Amino acid sequence: MKPKVYVTRHLPEAAWNELAPACDVTGWNEEYPPPYEVMVENMANKEGLICLLTDTIDADLMDAAPNLKVISQVAVGFDNIDIAAATERGIAVGNTPGVLTEATADFAFALLMAAARRVVEASDYVRAGQWRTWGLTLLLGQEVHGATLGIVGLGRIGEAMAKRARGFDMKVLYHNKGRRPEAETELGVEYRPFDDLLQESDYISLHVSLTPETRGLIDSRALSLMKPTAILVNTARGPVVDPEALYEALLSGRIAAAALDVTDPEPLPAGHRLLTQPNLIVAPHIASATVTSRTLMAQMAVRNCLAGLRGEPLPFPAY
Ligand code: DGY
């Protein structure tokens, strides 16, 4: 008999084609995530689960699946999964690092550029019929070339961001849990204590995982240390930034602008007061959304799942 697997969303064809012949798959094929209760009902006889970052995978859900061997997340971040509960129950957890690094860094840099040069405002301006003439002071932005970028979290994506910044002759500072001397030599980046990085940077780009330590890391205190011309970019996780503090900082001109791919809450409701700020760009958590990255992520998740079902070590374990 084939092992039973629950998949919480439609998978790209290449991944589905690896999974379907090997397993008895039940899935949720809607655009929105399955309600928690639906997942619980479906887990009773499942040995494998392939899930997304929008699914809450907690101890109760695991207890509803006494045969569960593997939880395979189609994302690099896995803050939606109770890792301690999985470990206690002997359930393997996999994620998809690496294949989305470049796409995510590309997007983080695109957000940085868009905020610096007011690309979204400019496009809206033209579409609104406001373009009358060439103006010497029209929609002035900030230099990217030669500016200072502060990277918070020098993991894979933070490093990829540093490489892009060097192409723009930027000075790159970083703050990380542990100092990384080899990266300092290889990438030409300079370590700074957190507060110093905030004070010295023209652009601050967040690349940390969401943990109890990083939740609310960018609060009103952190924002108050930034330059009034600073631009904040977040492609990590929404709750790393306190949304109320950010709103106040944008409104008061405490910082110049922000560009977010991730928000708190997520999705950000259309009426959210952050969206009243013209100096804010928001994207719907799409930094890794290229055909190539998303396909490779789904394939890695399937391979993790198949290995877990066979009782083998996962090729891409989450921890
Ligand atoms: C991740 O993988 O954690 C991103 O947030 C989505 O690709």
Side-chain angles (χ1 to χ4, degrees):
M1 234 178 25
K2 291 179 182 178
K4 293 187 186 335
V5 172
Y6 189 66
V7 184
T8 67
R9 224 65 55 78
H10 179 75
L11 294 177
E13 198 179 347
W16 174 255
N17 289 344
E18 288 183 48
L19 180 71
C23 303
D24 176 359
V25 188
T26 316
W28 175 264
N29 284 317
E30 307 295 324
E31 183 189 352
Y32 300 105
Y36 179 77
E37 301 70 37
V38 171
M39 285 198 297
V40 168
E41 276 163 29
N42 274 278
M43 288 307 293
N45 55 359
K46 300 297 185 292
E47 289 169 64
L49 170 64
I50 298 183
C51 56
L52 268 56
L53 54 85
T54 43
D55 305 317
T56 300
I57 311 299
D58 60 10
D60 289 345
L61 185 123
M62 295 175 205
D63 288 339
N67 302 326
L68 192 60
K69 292 182 178 162
V70 55
I71 298 169
S72 181
Q73 167 101 329
V74 192
V76 65
F78 48 85
D79 45 277
N80 57 312
I81 302 173
D82 186 337
I83 295 295
T87 310
E88 266 169 38
R89 289 159 182 75
I91 302 168
V93 180
N95 69 336
T96 64
V99 292
L100 47 66
T101 299
E102 303 301 334
T104 304
D106 283 348
F107 197 76
F109 213 83
L111 285 177
L112 184 157
M113 295 284 289
R117 301 304 308 275
R118 303 173 65 183
V119 173
V120 177
E121 271 178 88
S123 177
D124 289 348
Y125 177 87
V126 174
R127 286 169 187 277
Q130 290 176 280
W131 188 14
R132 302 266 184 268
T133 183
W134 186 88
L136 192 59
T137 55
L138 178 63
L139 286 161
L140 297 181
Q142 300 188 19
E143 297 281 331
V144 173
H145 163 268
T148 299
L149 170 66
I151 294 177
V152 181
L154 195 69
R156 290 183 198 84
I157 300 170
E159 282 189 12
M161 189 70 176
K163 287 182 189 154
R164 281 152 183 76
R166 293 203 55 206
F168 283 74
D169 288 333
M170 296 178 91
K171 174 174 177 180
V172 184
L173 311 178
Y174 79 98
H175 180 77
N176 198 53
K177 244 188 332 196
R179 193 164 167 172
R180 307 222 9 235
E182 81 299 343
E184 291 175 26
T185 313
E186 273 165 34
L187 299 169
V189 297
E190 296 175 29
Y191 176 81
R192 289 288 186 280
F194 184 56
D195 287 2
D196 293 2
L197 178 140
L198 298 179
Q199 282 166 335
E200 288 181 46
S201 300
D202 300 305
Y203 300 91
I204 293 151
S205 191
L206 306 176
H207 300 284
V208 290
S209 317
L210 180 62
T211 64
E213 293 75 44
T214 61
R215 185 176 288 275
L217 183 70
I218 304 298
D219 56 8
S220 48
R221 190 199 74 89
L223 287 158
S224 75
L225 294 175
M226 295 179 193
K227 296 181 182 182
T229 49
I231 291 179
L232 175 69
V233 177
N234 188 9
T235 53
R237 282 291 182 268
V240 175
V241 177
D242 174 342
E244 293 311 313
L246 179 61
Y247 171 77
E248 294 301 337
L250 292 173
L251 181 71
S252 64
R254 185 67 217 60
I255 65 169
L260 311 175
D261 182 49
V262 289
T263 59
D264 181 18
E266 206 168 283
L268 197 65
H272 195 284
R273 65 180 184 151
L274 263 177
L275 296 174
T276 60
Q277 295 310 299
N279 48 353
L280 175 76
I281 296 173
V282 190
H285 203 152
I286 56 167
S288 69
T290 65
V291 175
T292 303
S293 287
R294 290 286 168 88
T295 302
L296 290 171
M297 287 161 69
Q299 286 181 304
M300 283 170 87
V302 165
R303 286 168 202 165
N304 270 334
C305 181
L306 294 177
L309 293 171
R310 291 190 296 263
E312 294 169 6
L314 305 194
F316 316 104
Y319 56 93

